[in-house]
Amino acid sequence: MTTDQLKALVRDVPDFPREGIVFKDLMPLIGDPAAFHATIGHLAEWARPRSPDVILGAEARGFIFGGALAYELRCGFVPARKPGKLPWETVSESYELEYGMDSLEVHADAFANGARVIVLDDVLATGGTARAKVDLVDRLGGVVVGALFVIELTFLSGRERLTGTDVHALIAY
Ligand code: AMP
Protein backbone atom coordinates (compact mmCIF):
# COMPACT_ATOMS: atom_id res chain seq x y z
CA MET A 1 0.00 0.00 0.00
CA THR A 2 1.22 3.51 -0.79
CA THR A 3 1.44 6.25 1.84
CA ASP A 4 -1.48 8.00 0.05
CA GLN A 5 -3.59 4.88 0.60
CA LEU A 6 -2.51 4.85 4.25
CA LYS A 7 -3.47 8.52 4.58
CA ALA A 8 -7.02 7.64 3.54
CA LEU A 9 -7.25 5.46 6.68
CA VAL A 10 -6.43 8.31 9.09
CA ARG A 11 -9.60 9.68 10.68
CA ASP A 12 -9.90 13.35 11.63
CA VAL A 13 -11.68 13.82 14.96
CA PRO A 14 -12.48 17.52 15.47
CA ASP A 15 -12.34 19.02 18.99
CA PHE A 16 -10.59 16.04 20.64
CA PRO A 17 -9.22 15.98 23.31
CA ARG A 18 -10.25 19.61 23.52
CA GLU A 19 -11.87 22.30 21.38
CA GLY A 20 -9.82 23.47 18.41
CA ILE A 21 -7.63 20.34 18.14
CA VAL A 22 -8.18 18.08 15.12
CA PHE A 23 -7.06 14.71 16.44
CA LYS A 24 -5.46 12.36 13.90
CA ASP A 25 -6.97 8.99 14.81
CA LEU A 26 -4.76 6.14 13.56
CA MET A 27 -6.98 3.34 14.89
CA PRO A 28 -8.59 2.61 11.48
CA LEU A 29 -5.08 2.19 10.00
CA ILE A 30 -3.80 0.06 12.89
CA GLY A 31 -6.92 -2.12 12.71
CA ASP A 32 -6.50 -2.85 9.00
CA PRO A 33 -4.14 -5.84 8.48
CA ALA A 34 -2.70 -4.70 5.13
CA ALA A 35 -2.38 -1.06 6.18
CA PHE A 36 -0.68 -1.81 9.52
CA HIS A 37 1.77 -4.19 7.84
CA ALA A 38 2.53 -1.67 5.08
CA THR A 39 3.05 1.12 7.63
CA ILE A 40 5.63 -0.93 9.53
CA GLY A 41 7.26 -1.78 6.18
CA HIS A 42 7.58 1.90 5.22
CA LEU A 43 8.94 2.82 8.66
CA ALA A 44 11.45 -0.05 8.49
CA GLU A 45 12.65 0.99 5.02
CA TRP A 46 13.75 4.37 6.40
CA ALA A 47 15.04 3.06 9.72
CA ARG A 48 17.00 -0.03 8.56
CA PRO A 49 19.95 1.75 6.85
CA ARG A 50 20.44 3.83 10.03
CA SER A 51 21.25 0.59 11.91
CA PRO A 52 19.50 1.31 15.21
CA ASP A 53 20.17 -0.83 18.27
CA VAL A 54 16.88 0.23 19.86
CA ILE A 55 13.63 2.02 19.07
CA LEU A 56 12.45 4.51 21.71
CA GLY A 57 8.67 4.88 21.77
CA ALA A 58 6.31 6.62 24.20
CA GLU A 59 3.06 5.21 25.49
CA ALA A 60 0.62 4.44 24.17
CA ARG A 61 0.62 4.61 20.37
CA GLY A 62 4.42 4.72 20.27
CA PHE A 63 4.35 1.22 21.80
CA ILE A 64 2.14 -0.14 19.01
CA PHE A 65 4.26 1.12 16.12
CA GLY A 66 7.57 0.93 18.01
CA GLY A 67 7.15 -2.66 19.15
CA ALA A 68 6.26 -3.86 15.66
CA LEU A 69 9.08 -1.85 14.08
CA ALA A 70 11.67 -3.16 16.56
CA TYR A 71 10.56 -6.73 15.84
CA GLU A 72 10.79 -6.12 12.08
CA LEU A 73 14.31 -4.66 12.41
CA ARG A 74 15.44 -7.24 14.97
CA CYS A 75 16.44 -4.48 17.35
CA GLY A 76 15.42 -3.72 20.93
CA PHE A 77 12.61 -1.52 22.21
CA VAL A 78 12.84 1.08 25.00
CA PRO A 79 9.59 2.39 26.48
CA ALA A 80 9.21 6.03 27.50
CA ARG A 81 6.42 6.13 30.08
CA LYS A 82 4.29 8.52 32.07
CA PRO A 83 5.74 9.29 35.54
CA GLY A 84 5.63 6.52 38.13
CA LYS A 85 5.06 3.60 35.73
CA LEU A 86 8.63 2.28 35.34
CA PRO A 87 9.97 0.09 38.17
CA TRP A 88 13.74 0.79 38.00
CA GLU A 89 15.78 3.99 38.41
CA THR A 90 14.46 6.57 35.93
CA VAL A 91 15.35 9.91 34.37
CA SER A 92 12.63 12.33 33.38
CA GLU A 93 11.99 15.23 30.98
CA SER A 94 9.03 17.62 30.98
CA TYR A 95 7.63 19.09 27.77
CA GLU A 96 4.78 21.13 26.37
CA LEU A 97 2.10 19.44 24.27
CA GLU A 98 -0.16 20.90 21.58
CA TYR A 99 -2.78 20.55 24.33
CA GLY A 100 -1.02 20.79 27.73
CA MET A 101 2.11 19.85 29.72
CA ASP A 102 3.43 16.37 30.34
CA SER A 103 6.56 14.47 31.26
CA LEU A 104 8.16 11.20 30.25
CA GLU A 105 10.51 8.80 32.00
CA VAL A 106 12.93 6.15 30.77
CA HIS A 107 15.10 3.72 32.69
CA ALA A 108 18.50 5.21 33.55
CA ASP A 109 20.31 2.19 32.04
CA ALA A 110 18.27 2.05 28.81
CA PHE A 111 21.00 3.19 26.40
CA ALA A 112 24.12 1.43 27.63
CA ASN A 113 27.32 1.50 25.55
CA GLY A 114 26.34 4.38 23.26
CA ALA A 115 23.31 2.62 21.78
CA ARG A 116 22.08 3.87 18.38
CA VAL A 117 18.50 5.05 18.91
CA ILE A 118 15.57 5.86 16.64
CA VAL A 119 13.00 8.04 18.37
CA LEU A 120 9.55 7.03 17.13
CA ASP A 121 6.03 8.40 17.54
CA ASP A 122 2.70 8.26 15.75
CA VAL A 123 2.37 12.04 15.29
CA LEU A 124 4.90 14.90 15.13
CA ALA A 125 2.91 17.95 16.25
CA THR A 126 4.81 20.77 18.03
CA GLY A 127 7.86 18.53 18.50
CA GLY A 128 7.90 18.86 22.30
CA THR A 129 7.55 15.12 22.94
CA ALA A 130 10.22 14.16 20.41
CA ARG A 131 12.57 16.88 21.75
CA ALA A 132 12.17 15.48 25.28
CA LYS A 133 12.98 11.97 24.03
CA VAL A 134 16.06 13.17 22.10
CA ASP A 135 17.25 14.98 25.26
CA LEU A 136 16.74 11.83 27.36
CA VAL A 137 18.83 9.78 24.92
CA ASP A 138 21.58 12.45 24.95
CA ARG A 139 21.59 12.62 28.76
CA LEU A 140 21.92 8.84 29.05
CA GLY A 141 24.77 8.46 26.55
CA GLY A 142 22.84 7.11 23.57
CA VAL A 143 23.16 8.36 19.98
CA VAL A 144 20.00 9.49 18.17
CA VAL A 145 20.25 8.23 14.57
CA GLY A 146 16.80 9.43 13.53
CA ALA A 147 13.37 10.70 14.55
CA LEU A 148 10.59 8.83 12.77
CA PHE A 149 6.84 9.47 12.64
CA VAL A 150 3.79 8.08 10.89
CA ILE A 151 2.25 11.58 10.62
CA GLU A 152 3.73 15.08 10.60
CA LEU A 153 1.55 18.16 11.17
CA THR A 154 3.84 20.46 9.17
CA PHE A 155 1.86 23.62 10.09
CA LEU A 156 3.04 23.20 13.72
CA SER A 157 6.74 23.27 12.65
CA GLY A 158 7.79 20.45 15.00
CA ARG A 159 10.93 19.86 12.91
CA GLU A 160 12.31 23.19 14.07
CA ARG A 161 12.54 21.76 17.61
CA LEU A 162 14.61 18.87 16.25
CA THR A 163 17.43 20.66 14.41
CA GLY A 164 20.48 18.43 14.12
CA THR A 165 18.30 15.30 14.02
CA ASP A 166 17.44 13.37 10.86
CA VAL A 167 13.60 13.59 10.74
CA HIS A 168 11.19 11.58 8.59
CA ALA A 169 7.40 11.14 8.46
CA LEU A 170 5.37 8.88 6.16
CA ILE A 171 2.32 11.15 5.91
CA ALA A 172 2.35 14.97 5.95
CA TYR A 173 -0.50 17.42 6.57
P1 AMP B 1 4.02 17.17 20.16
O1 AMP B 1 4.83 16.96 21.41
O2 AMP B 1 3.29 18.46 20.16
O3 AMP B 1 4.82 16.95 18.90
O4 AMP B 1 2.87 16.10 20.20
C1 AMP B 1 3.09 14.83 19.85
C2 AMP B 1 2.36 13.86 20.73
O5 AMP B 1 1.02 14.26 21.02
C3 AMP B 1 2.27 12.55 20.03
O6 AMP B 1 2.55 11.55 20.99
C4 AMP B 1 0.87 12.47 19.52
O7 AMP B 1 0.36 11.20 19.78
C5 AMP B 1 0.08 13.51 20.27
N1 AMP B 1 -0.63 14.45 19.41
C6 AMP B 1 -0.42 15.79 19.37
N2 AMP B 1 -1.24 16.39 18.52
C7 AMP B 1 -1.99 15.41 17.97
C8 AMP B 1 -3.04 15.38 16.98
N3 AMP B 1 -3.49 16.50 16.39
N4 AMP B 1 -3.54 14.19 16.65
C9 AMP B 1 -3.09 13.06 17.25
N5 AMP B 1 -2.15 13.02 18.17
C10 AMP B 1 -1.58 14.18 18.54
Side-chain angles (χ1 to χ4, degrees):
M1 283 175 90
T2 65
T3 49
D4 278 344
Q5 289 170 314
L6 298 177
K7 194 172 187 174
L9 289 168
V10 178
R11 177 165 54 199
D12 279 1
V13 183
D15 300 321
F16 183 89
R18 64 177 63 150
E19 214 176 316
I21 301 290
V22 179
F23 193 85
K24 297 297 182 190
D25 178 18
L26 281 156
M27 297 309 153
L29 180 153
I30 292 167
D32 182 299
F36 185 54
H37 191 261
T39 301
I40 300 305
H42 286 296
L43 293 172
E45 204 176 308
W46 189 85
R48 193 175 282 110
R50 288 162 176 83
S51 306
D53 298 307
V54 293
I55 305 298
L56 171 61
E59 63 183 285
R61 292 177 302 272
F63 289 2
I64 299 169
F65 292 103
L69 177 62
Y71 181 83
E72 174 70 18
L73 295 174
R74 293 174 178 269
C75 64
F77 180 78
V78 172
R81 299 213 62 181
K82 299 285 164 59
K85 297 282 189 184
L86 287 168
W88 191 245
E89 187 190 333
T90 57
V91 292
S92 154
E93 280 283 343
S94 295
Y95 57 96
E96 222 171 302
L97 269 180
E98 193 184 359
Y99 40 75
M101 276 298 288
D102 222 336
S103 55
L104 280 176
E105 295 182 348
V106 294
H107 274 159
D109 61 358
F111 309 113
N113 306 319
R116 295 170 63 83
V117 183
I118 285 193
V119 166
L120 178 99
D121 210 345
D122 61 338
V123 175
L124 173 61
T126 65
T129 312
R131 178 75 254 166
K133 283 190 275 177
V134 168
D135 290 345
L136 284 168
V137 176
D138 287 347
R139 278 172 62 193
L140 293 173
V143 179
V144 175
V145 295
L148 181 55
F149 305 89
V150 180
I151 288 174
E152 177 179 5
L153 305 179
T154 56
F155 52 90
L156 293 173
S157 308
R159 270 177 199 255
E160 288 173 15
R161 308 273 299 269
L162 299 172
T163 43
T165 301
D166 200 3
V167 178
H168 181 66
L170 303 186
I171 298 168
Y173 289 90

